[in-house]
């Protein structure tokens, strides 16, 4: 699919965001469904019907729509999807892949073209009558049961995998409310924010190897615990296991070593966003983190949601970021709106409980530092980023006590436990608890949602002495 | 090459360490040559004669010997090298590779078999008379000028590349002298060591993307600097650019998520070691590092030496680590000797100077925490490691003022500049300076050396406002 002019391409992209567009896949039109035709997030899946692909893993690239996954490789094989500037063989390799990296590396024109083609293919015909070619392709898929069977995989039958092979994972600390709460709890309530916090998006390198996809069980870590009544630390299971409600974004287009990314241009490097739970062992963290930062308290697992929601899909939900005072240094300045209105929730379900309790409701828009500022800061000293790098927002806390993004804050370090719907309370996470993050943008009659980011806690390994 | 019994394999491996063994490549027998026949380190190279390999990068696996590189792919093609349990095609793929990862992933039996075969092939015939097959292969290479031409590449003609595709880089802080110096300078000379330091090898996640090979120029970073006389930070070029003299080790065999590596078994997971310069922007670091650790002050570049010296080659230089008091917690205990006697130096050559000045002489054996303890600690909470992960020692400082592994310590934060041989002094690194790390184990009449780890500083990018 090529366009006569850049403005034709922009118009086609804009049409994919039309709130009135509906899909002939009816489940996508439910106003509470995360995967509307306006969303079209990318992921990696496998299913029992196609246990093997060219590389023998069975994994391939898909797009979520309603309760189904569009198998992009199958769509391409059917001649209904083209990847601009890629040969058929190259496109097949990009789509029959165990991670989105090659697809991301193909560049923004390819991501956008696929988005436009899918939106046209999946739209209801009456919304799509202006272009005969598109209408014909749309009907070819919609009206051919055998083809639909090959191309549309029921999400319930599929396994969702880590969507990206992540070369680097960086985690920021960009919520002013979160940093203030932590500072007030552990340092000085009157000077809760450290002096550097308002000057830069503070961040640190996380552990990429232990990023796992939603649904992966998480084992409670063992580690050194410094108990106040004992002179030396003891070794044992974490007693203050916590979540951190975050989002993350993936680099779709990196930068070379020594060539910083300007703040104004930073969003061009971002492919899309996921939900991210930065599991944290608070007691291990408190003992280990001075002076080089968190290590074992974070490195045991980080869970992300399987569907990457593109910045293109989030465009209608762009809002103004919080005012920044003092004005940041020049390299951190950008004009316009760089926050997004993304509702976020945390749910806790105890082992055996039927229902989860929502323990936090907040919004991504509260974040003080923007993704663009995070990326500009990350690279300003010359650090290179690579396709697939994951950058976490840091815990997203809102202004009210029920909008804090960690149990540490919600229970004020265990002092005021949260009460669960079916009885019981929680200061920190217990074995068997399932923690779920959810997030979505609420449009007029439709959602652009992230799905969920969930994990259940397994008991710690026994400690032998 | 297979052995009738495990003890035959152990004997063959032991023979490669015989100090009296000499090579028919005479340059390897120079007692000051880093690349003796006892060493046989692995790396990745390309050369103008073979600009393309199967994967079209021209890079392939080599072993350093004297002033030459053994082209393992060419040796394999000549029928003089076999990789146990790998088909010819698989071996060819492992050896015609742009990184050592596949070779490392092939497992320790393969690394050791290649070491034994190379030692036999390259030994002087009179040292190698007991095995007719070996003697024949040895002569086949030694006496065939055309074959030698294909297999032995002059190191001077070759380009050495980053030897490993590094999925994760972790840096420790394991020199007691270094931690004490830094604590005395920036905190309290009477309580220089933080309380957790003697209980665990403190470490943090570094930035893997910016690890570069020796010889790569390093651009002075820009960043936020907090000057004492100004209320707010300014943005500009680092004024306190420093080296950190370190070694690093590569994971040859990782662990699964949630399955810690026991301290006693940790060395089985290590492929080998390199020199590592953890370039540090001290002024950026001091302003940014609280509370999550160093970020932009370290992420702009880390340089490693190109040849990976295997633990097998280091075996004769194993020594007792420093006494640890208090005794570490059980998960950090191991019996036996786990330090290595590796002489280390730092040299500084100003732009235009003929000769470098050696500004530091120290030894790896001073390190308080061992590599085994670092790896056990890294994984004890469940963090997984992967083939090719790089773990840095942290700055290695000795007990005397000329044995400190950073300019920060050598000049005591600039208060007593080091004097250069050809005139001038240095508090920190200036543009155009070339900094070189060197390291070697001194055997009886031979060395097992690391070569060098060098980088020259380019001026910072201009700052626009």
């Amino acid at each position: 699919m090529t366009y006569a002019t850049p403005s034709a391409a922009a118009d086609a992209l804009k049409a994919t965001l039309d709130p009135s567009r509906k899909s002939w896949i009816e489940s996508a039109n439910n106003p509470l469904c995360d995967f509307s035709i306006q969303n079209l997030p990318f992921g990696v899946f496998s299913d029992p019907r196609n246990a093997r692909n060219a590389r023998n893993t069975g994994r391939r690239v898909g797009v979520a729509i309603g309760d189904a996954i569009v198998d992009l490789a199958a769509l391409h094989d059917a001649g209904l999807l083209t990847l601009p500037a890629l040969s058929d063989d190259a496109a097949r390799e990009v789509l029959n892949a165990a991670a989105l990296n090659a697809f991301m590396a193909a560049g923004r024109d390819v991501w956008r073209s696929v988005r436009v083609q899918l939106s046209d293919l999946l739209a209801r015909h009456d919304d799509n009558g202006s272009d005969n070619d598109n209408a014909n392709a749309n009907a070819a898929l919609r009206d051919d049961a055998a083809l639909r069977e090959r191309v549309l995989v029921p999400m319930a039958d599929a396994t969702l995998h880590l969507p990206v092979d992540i070369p680097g994972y960086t985690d920021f600390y960009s919520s002013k409310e979160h940093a203030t709460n932590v500072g007030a709890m552990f340092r000085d309530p009157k000077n809760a924010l450290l002096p550097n916090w308002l000057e830069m998006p503070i961040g640190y390198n996380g552990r990429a190897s232990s990023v796992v996809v939603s649904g992966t069980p998480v084992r409670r870590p063992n580690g050194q615990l410094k108990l106040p009544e004992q002179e030396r630390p003891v070794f044992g299971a974490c007693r203050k296991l916590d979540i951190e409600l975050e989002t993350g974004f993936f680099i779709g287009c990196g930068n070379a070593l020594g060539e910083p990314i300007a703040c104004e241009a930073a969003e061009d490097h971002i492919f899309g966003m996921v939900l991210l739970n930065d599991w944290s062992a608070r007691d291990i963290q408190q003992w280990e983190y001075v002076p080089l930062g968190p290590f074992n308290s974070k490195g045991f697992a980080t869970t992300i949601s399987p569907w990457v929601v593109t910045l293109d899909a989030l465009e209608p939900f762009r809002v103004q970021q919080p005012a920044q005072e003092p004005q940041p240094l020049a390299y951190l300045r950008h004009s316009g709106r760089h926050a997004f209105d993304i509702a976020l929730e945390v749910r806790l379900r105890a082992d055996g409980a039927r229902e989860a309790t929502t323990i936090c409701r907040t919004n991504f828009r509260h974040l003080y530092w923007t993704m663009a500022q995070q990326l500009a800061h990350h690279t300003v000293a010359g650090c290179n980023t690579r396709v697939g790098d994951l950058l976490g927002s840091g815990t997203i806390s809102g202004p009210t006590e029920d909008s804090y993004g960690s149990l540490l804050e919600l229970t004020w370090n265990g002092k005021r436990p949260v009460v669960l719907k079916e009885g019981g309370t929680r200061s920190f996470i217990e074995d068997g608890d399932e923690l779920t993050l959810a997030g979505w943008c609420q449009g007029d009659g439709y959602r652009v949602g992230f799905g969920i980011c969930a994990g259940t806690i397994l008991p710690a390994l026994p400690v032998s002495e």
Side-chain angles (χ1 to χ4, degrees), chain A:
Chain A
M1 173 166 284
T2 54
Y3 297 96
T5 64
S7 82
D11 287 348
L13 190 66
K14 200 170 163 198
T16 67
L17 299 171
D18 179 352
S20 68
R21 187 169 278 202
K22 300 288 175 198
S23 175
W24 49 261
I25 298 178
E26 281 302 332
S27 56
N29 303 326
N30 180 331
L32 297 181
C33 177
D34 279 333
F35 307 120
S36 62
I37 192 167
Q38 286 79 13
N39 191 350
L40 303 174
F42 293 91
V44 169
F45 75 103
S46 60
D47 76 296
R49 297 182 318 184
N50 296 284
R52 296 274 173 252
N53 73 359
R55 289 193 177 173
N56 224 20
T57 69
R59 300 186 188 193
R60 53 205 195 280
V61 173
V63 163
I65 177 87
D67 55 11
I69 299 171
V70 184
D71 183 334
L72 297 196
L75 198 61
H76 176 264
D77 286 345
L80 293 175
L81 181 72
T82 58
L83 271 56
L86 292 188
S87 71
D88 270 3
D89 278 354
R92 212 167 280 125
E93 188 153 347
V94 160
L95 300 175
N96 279 297
L100 292 174
N101 298 57
F103 178 71
M104 294 194 286
R108 199 157 58 151
D109 286 351
V110 170
W111 323 334
R112 289 185 162 172
S113 167
V114 170
R115 176 176 172 82
V116 168
Q117 292 175 71
L118 284 174
S119 183
D120 285 344
L121 277 169
L122 299 170
R124 262 195 213 148
H125 193 262
D126 52 328
D127 301 317
N128 194 29
S130 61
D131 179 325
N132 285 331
D133 280 356
N134 289 350
N136 290 344
N138 180 295
L141 178 61
R142 185 193 61 205
D143 300 337
D144 181 337
L147 181 59
R148 281 204 318 272
E149 176 87 8
R150 286 205 303 281
V151 166
L152 295 173
V153 177
M155 210 181 286
D157 294 349
T159 303
L160 299 173
H161 302 282
L162 195 67
V164 174
D165 183 13
I166 301 170
Y169 163 44
T170 304
D171 202 20
F172 286 89
Y173 184 58
S174 289
S175 155
K176 190 172 174 183
E177 290 80 1
H178 172 67
T180 304
N181 287 339
V182 171
M185 233 179 289
F186 293 114
R187 288 182 295 265
D188 175 5
K190 285 182 194 147
N191 294 289
L193 277 188
L194 288 163
N196 57 14
W197 200 93
L198 289 170
E199 296 288 359
M200 68 175 83
I202 295 284
Y204 69 106
N205 296 299
R207 180 74 188 174
S209 70
S210 53
V211 178
V212 297
V213 73
S214 178
T216 308
V218 172
R219 192 168 287 288
R220 178 183 298 273
N222 289 316
Q224 290 197 18
L225 316 173
K226 181 70 178 65
L227 309 175
E229 67 275 17
Q230 294 192 19
E231 199 188 335
R232 291 194 57 193
V234 297
F235 182 76
C238 166
R239 301 167 187 196
K240 290 189 171 182
L241 186 59
D242 201 357
I243 49 138
E244 292 199 334
L245 165 61
E246 303 193 17
T247 58
F249 66 88
F250 283 108
I251 298 295
C253 166
N255 65 302
L257 189 64
E259 298 179 11
I261 295 173
C263 199
E264 288 285 7
E267 282 182 6
D268 292 345
H269 292 258
I270 300 175
F271 175 71
M273 294 177 68
V274 289
L275 303 173
L276 186 154
N277 183 352
D278 182 30
W279 302 95
S280 298
R282 299 294 177 198
D283 38 8
I284 296 173
Q285 183 176 357
Q286 208 183 343
W287 171 234
E288 76 171 1
Y289 90 102
V290 176
L292 299 182
F295 185 56
N296 279 345
S297 55
K298 304 273 195 173
F300 61 95
T302 303
T303 304
I304 64 171
S305 54
W307 294 108
V308 187
V309 177
T310 61
L311 279 205
D312 289 327
L314 293 169
E315 194 54 42
F317 306 97
R318 192 179 279 277
V319 292
Q320 187 63 41
Q321 59 275 20
Q324 297 182 326
E325 178 56 39
Q327 185 187 35
L329 295 179
Y331 80 92
L332 291 171
R333 289 181 208 153
H334 47 14
S335 54
R337 298 176 301 162
H338 298 279
F340 295 89
D341 179 5
I342 306 170
L344 297 167
E345 285 189 3
V346 181
R347 300 167 193 151
L348 190 159
R349 192 170 64 83
D351 193 14
R354 275 159 312 158
E355 269 193 279
T357 304
T358 299
I359 58 174
C360 162
R361 287 186 176 85
T362 185
N363 196 297
F364 177 79
R365 66 186 300 170
H366 297 308
L367 215 61
Y368 186 86
W369 295 103
T370 68
M371 295 186 285
Q373 290 174 320
Q374 290 171 338
L375 183 52
H377 182 68
H378 200 326
T379 62
V380 76
C383 182
N384 52 332
T385 60
R386 298 186 283 194
V387 173
D389 278 348
L390 174 64
L391 281 73
S393 61
T395 309
I396 302 170
S397 290
T400 58
E401 288 184 4
D402 62 349
S403 68
Y404 297 163
S406 66
L407 279 163
L408 178 72
E409 296 162 87
L410 288 165
T411 72
W412 213 254
N413 198 16
K415 290 196 186 72
R416 15 169 236 240
V418 295
V419 177
L420 304 183
K421 240 187 213 175
E422 299 184 18
T425 62
R426 284 294 180 277
S427 294
F428 289 96
I429 302 172
E430 297 188 3
D431 290 348
D433 284 353
E434 181 187 50
L435 276 295
T436 301
L437 316 185
W440 64 91
C441 301
Q442 187 62 57
D444 182 10
Y446 72 96
R447 279 186 174 178
V448 169
F450 287 78
I452 60 166
C453 174
T456 300
I457 300 301
L458 304 176
L461 292 175
V463 172
S464 61
E465 173 72 13

